[in-house]
Amino acid sequence: MTAAKFGFVVLHYLAGDATADCIESIKTHCPQAAIVVVDNNSANGSYEELQRKYGADSTVTLLHNVVNEGFARGNNTGYEYARNRLHCDFIVTMNNDATIACDDFMELCEEDFKAHSDVGVIGPDIVSGKNGSHSNPIYSIIDTRAEVDRQIRRFKVILLLLHLHLFGPLTRLKAKLTHSDANALPEHVNATADAITGKPYKLHGACFVFTPAFVKQFSCAFDSGTFLYFEEDILLMRCRARHLTMWYDKRIRVDHMEDVSTDQMMRKDERRKLIFTLHNYVRSLKVLKQYVNSK
């Protein structure tokens, strides 16, 4: 494959139809881009199906990890290929359950970087396929050790309650006592695509656009110490350390189905899924602690 200005890295795990939809959306809206699909050792035949479908496609490179490397290391495999082999200027990491939803994706990214040369990562408007909410930007930033430690303690308590089969009953009791609205949006998502002027934010991991400024400085996209979760906070800290900023552009749209691969892996066992999630929360927070200040 020849060099391309834009390289899209799609991390594949189990959900073959979702990955194919993601690839097709890139080919439709960004036809000049190179696509690097990284399979995280799917064992359900979905990677072989992608090989049959795209093996002869000159715009698609298929890579296979012999074990499930998780989000950070899996994406790093594709990022390093796009950076070192394809010599891409812009590298986009996308969840396989996300799809491009605008024809000027690449043009807008180039325009943003031209206007703001210190931008390391650009984030699009990420629209939920479940409720139409907007995942970008995210205002809850963990950047002190005190807050990291508080979150670790919190998640360890929840894990204990889960193992004792007490978390579900206590959660339902709290909702009843506080009259919580079950249909309310979670605090980390937004009702509109607009950002709050002057309020610091981080970007959602379903789609990161790494600019030439980032690609030049970083040989890998993510810290390899995590498996899943809190990559956004760690990435923000890595950018700050190199005097790079994050930029949200609501004109660029990506649709996101959310948790397709994780749901397939966990089936419908919500308790098992939550235990898996919280274990990785704690693991990732310990990595984040290495980056934040001591306040």
Side-chain angles (χ1 to χ4, degrees), residues 18 21-23 25 94-100 126 206-207 254-258:
D21 288 343
C22 179
I23 293 170
S25 77
M94 284 184 63
N95 284 11
N96 67 327
D97 57 357
T99 52
I100 304 292
I126 299 174
C207 182
V254 167
D255 293 334
H256 185 209
M257 289 307 298
E258 300 183 70

Side-chain angles (χ1 to χ4, degrees), residues 188-216:
H188 62 280
V189 298
N190 311 302
T192 74
D194 295 319
I196 301 173
T197 303
K199 189 170 183 177
Y201 58 74
K202 62 189 177 188
L203 300 172
H204 193 280
C207 182
F208 289 127
V209 181
F210 296 97
T211 71
F214 186 100
V215 173
K216 182 179 180 180

Side-chain angles (χ1 to χ4, degrees), residues 12-241:
H12 168 70
Y13 186 64
L14 299 177
D17 290 342
T19 299
D21 288 343
C22 179
I23 293 170
E24 291 302 320
S25 77
I26 299 168
K27 290 169 69 66
T28 297
H29 298 288
C30 307
Q32 295 82 29
I35 303 170
V36 181
V37 179
V38 181
D39 173 56
N40 245 347
N41 196 33
S42 301
N44 64 344
S46 58
Y47 176 63
E48 290 74 16
E49 181 59 33
L50 291 172
Q51 285 181 309
R52 286 190 287 272
K53 189 166 186 177
Y54 296 106
D57 191 324
S58 62
T59 66
V60 179
T61 298
L62 297 167
L63 304 177
H64 174 71
N65 287 331
V66 295
V67 297
N68 184 351
E69 298 283 4
F71 179 90
R73 292 191 298 273
N75 272 304
N76 281 346
T77 298
Y79 175 93
E80 289 163 12
Y81 188 94
R83 180 180 187 266
N84 302 329
R85 295 284 296 276
L86 302 181
H87 306 291
C88 297
D89 297 321
F90 291 83
I91 300 175
V92 185
T93 59
M94 284 184 63
N95 284 11
N96 67 327
D97 57 357
T99 52
I100 304 292
C102 60
D103 288 329
D104 50 357
F105 184 103
M106 295 189 298
E107 290 81 2
L108 290 172
C109 290
E110 291 189 73
E111 180 182 309
D112 286 338
F113 182 62
K114 185 176 181 180
H116 310 279
S117 60
D118 64 335
V119 170
V121 188
I122 299 168
D125 176 20
I126 299 174
V127 183
S128 170
K130 292 183 177 180
N131 56 25
S133 64
H134 303 263
S135 300
N136 266 334
I138 304 172
Y139 301 105
S140 56
I141 298 172
I142 301 176
D143 57 3
T144 67
R145 289 190 180 183
E147 180 60 17
V148 170
D149 288 336
R150 188 184 75 83
Q151 294 290 347
I152 290 175
R153 290 193 299 269
R154 173 192 172 206
F155 293 132
K156 283 184 175 180
V157 169
I158 296 173
L159 275 168
L160 177 61
L161 292 174
L162 282 165
H163 285 298
L164 294 173
H165 296 269
L166 293 174
F167 182 71
L170 288 174
T171 301
R172 289 190 291 272
L173 177 62
K174 179 182 177 183
K176 186 175 181 179
L177 293 175
T178 59
H179 305 288
S180 300
D181 182 1
N183 297 315
L185 290 175
E187 61 179 12
H188 62 280
V189 298
N190 311 302
T192 74
D194 295 319
I196 301 173
T197 303
K199 189 170 183 177
Y201 58 74
K202 62 189 177 188
L203 300 172
H204 193 280
C207 182
F208 289 127
V209 181
F210 296 97
T211 71
F214 186 100
V215 173
K216 182 179 180 180
Q217 292 199 49
F218 288 97
S219 60
C220 60
F222 304 101
D223 187 296
S224 61
T226 65
F227 185 82
L228 279 173
Y229 309 117
F230 288 99
E231 290 87 3
E232 296 100 335
D233 295 87
I234 296 170
L235 181 58
L236 176 60
M237 298 301 109
R238 295 177 79 212
C239 284
R240 286 181 179 178

Side-chain angles (χ1 to χ4, degrees), residues 252-281:
I252 309 171
R253 174 166 170 160
V254 167
D255 293 334
H256 185 209
M257 289 307 298
E258 300 183 70
D259 299 328
V260 169
S261 293
T262 307
D263 287 346
Q264 285 207 14
M265 179 173 60
M266 297 298 169
R267 303 300 181 185
K268 294 299 180 179
D269 189 337
E270 289 299 324
R271 178 174 170 274
R272 180 186 169 210
K273 180 181 176 181
L274 189 52
I275 290 173
F276 170 86
T277 299
L278 292 175
H279 272 303
N280 281 288
Y281 277 2

